[in-house]
Amino acid sequence: MAAGTIRYWAAAKAAAGTAEEPYAAETLAEALEAVRERHPGELVRVLQRCSYLVDGDPVGTRGHETVRLAEGGTVEVLPPFAGG
């Protein structure tokens, strides 16, 4: 099982109540399921609208269960941003 950091931005940060926290998971799907269990409520709703970067690479439309996480890696949780 890989261990790394999940970083929350904007509305995700507000809903999580923290800027970052550790993960221990093999895939993005596993990491996000653990986040939903730790933070039921608003963050669960925010995650449905988010984009994700894993070690700087956009996840895009790939299934979260196919996105492997690396030891010491970083998952960025990016809600939609207004403006431009």
Side-chain angles (χ1 to χ4, degrees), residues 6 25 27-39 44 47:
I6 297 177
T27 67
L28 179 58
E30 290 174 11
L32 293 176
E33 183 57 34
V35 165
R36 289 181 193 98
E37 290 175 9
R38 279 193 304 273
H39 304 282
V44 173
L47 291 176

Side-chain angles (χ1 to χ4, degrees), residues 3-62:
T5 303
I6 297 177
R7 291 188 185 141
Y8 301 104
W9 297 96
K13 180 179 172 181
T18 187
E20 63 181 49
E21 62 186 353
Y23 71 72
E26 292 295 322
T27 67
L28 179 58
E30 290 174 11
L32 293 176
E33 183 57 34
V35 165
R36 289 181 193 98
E37 290 175 9
R38 279 193 304 273
H39 304 282
E42 182 61 22
L43 184 57
V44 173
R45 289 183 288 281
V46 171
L47 291 176
Q48 295 172 350
R49 301 183 316 267
C50 288
S51 299
Y52 301 93
L53 298 177
V54 174
D55 298 329
D57 294 324
V59 171
T61 60
R62 289 182 287 160

